[in-house]
Amino acid sequence: DIQMTQSPSTLSASVGDRVTITCRASQSISIWLAWYQQKPGKAPKLLIYKASSLESGVPSRFSGSGSGTEFTLTISSLQPDDFATYYCQQYNDYSWTFGQGTKVEIK
Amino acid sequence: QVQLQQSGPGLVKPSQTLSLTCAISGDGISSSSTAWNWIRQSPSRGLEWLGRTYYRSKWYSDYAVSVRGRITISPDTSSSQFSLQLNSLTPEDTGVYYCARDHDGAFDFWGQGTMVTVSS
């Protein structure tokens, strides 16, 4: 299986900060990478698919980039509703795997 | 708007079989561009894709290596539902189980989650 490694595991930030989360794949996955936001007790919510496509209804402060093995999720100006855990997820050859998560905390 | 509604027990004994159902509304179960998945989450294993079923002129299923041989995901077209059966349960199978739709490799709609505890 392809392994996904996120960094950092925890991130402390303030409202208005620019935040970047990195995800690395153990082998090339082209652009088959998605990003999710999860809040306690809730299912993950899709933010970005195919590395850089914004899901309908997701605020434009969220953006994704990358291809191959290295990807980033950027929140341009952190809002109070954005404090949550973020996961990357890859799709390749009929297999899906998730990163271990990045918790974004209030500084 | 697509909605997925899960049902099934929250407590199962070791060695027994887990059976969960996911009812689909707002989309066709036989859509040729989507697939229907089961995913679980636990503190020890994180988010783990278990498998999926989908229709492309006929029905197919794909399963994760970690549960292959113990898992069956099958559609019920008459009720627009799909189900998960996972047998030979151990405490390691404890976690929150989600159904989800996938489109273009990403999971865009999710069920509400079912907390499953494997314990005698």
Side-chain angles (χ1 to χ4, degrees):
Chain A
D1 278 357
I2 296 175
Q3 306 304 313
M4 305 302 291
T5 303
Q6 284 182 238
S7 60
S9 297
T10 306
L11 187 161
S12 296
S14 302
V15 172
D17 284 353
R18 181 181 181 88
V19 166
T20 298
I21 299 168
T22 298
C23 182
R24 289 187 174 86
S26 59
Q27 66 187 71
S28 177
I29 56 171
S30 184
I31 60 166
W32 296 105
L33 191 285
W35 290 97
Y36 300 84
Q37 176 193 71
Q38 188 177 33
K39 296 183 178 178
K42 300 293 188 182
K45 172 188 174 183
L46 178 64
L47 301 174
I48 302 285
Y49 63 98
K50 285 189 189 174
S52 61
S53 296
L54 190 68
E55 175 70 352
S56 176
V58 173
S60 58
R61 63 181 180 272
F62 292 93
S63 64
S65 64
S67 66
T69 61
E70 189 148 340
F71 302 85
T72 58
L73 172 70
T74 299
I75 309 172
S76 60
S77 177
L78 198 65
Q79 298 303 301
D81 191 48
D82 301 339
F83 291 97
T85 301
Y86 293 84
Y87 295 93
C88 62
Q89 166 252 312
Q90 69 83 26
Y91 161 61
N92 177 265
D93 195 23
Y94 299 100
S95 175
W96 288 254
T97 49
F98 292 84
Q100 81 280 13
T102 295
K103 186 174 183 179
V104 176
E105 298 181 328
I106 301 173
K107 190 171 184 179
Chain B
Q1 177 78 340
V2 176
Q3 291 189 319
L4 303 177
Q5 180 67 39
Q6 299 177 217
S7 58
L11 179 63
V12 189
K13 290 182 168 47
S15 80
Q16 291 193 341
T17 297
L18 170 66
S19 294
L20 296 175
T21 298
C22 184
I24 303 163
S25 59
D27 192 12
I29 191 171
S30 304
S31 166
S32 59
S33 61
T34 57
W36 307 98
N37 298 258
W38 288 97
I39 296 161
R40 68 183 176 187
Q41 185 172 29
S42 66
S44 58
R45 302 174 75 98
L47 282 161
E48 181 184 15
W49 174 78
L50 299 177
R52 67 173 189 164
T53 189
Y54 56 102
Y55 185 78
R56 302 289 185 267
S57 302
K58 68 175 186 177
W59 286 97
Y60 296 88
S61 296
D62 300 313
Y63 300 124
V65 170
S66 61
V67 292
R68 202 168 290 164
R70 295 200 294 137
I71 188 172
T72 303
I73 296 175
S74 55
D76 178 351
T77 56
S78 63
S79 352
S80 199
Q81 298 181 118
F82 64 107
S83 64
L84 165 71
Q85 288 203 306
L86 186 64
N87 58 37
S88 304
L89 292 176
T90 73
E92 273 283 296
D93 294 308
T94 292
V96 180
Y97 285 69
Y98 294 101
C99 59
R101 187 183 86 161
D102 90 73
H103 178 66
D104 273 345
F107 303 108
D108 55 357
F109 292 96
W110 296 65
Q112 79 275 22
T114 301
M115 178 65 215
V116 174
T117 302
V118 180
S119 174
S120 53

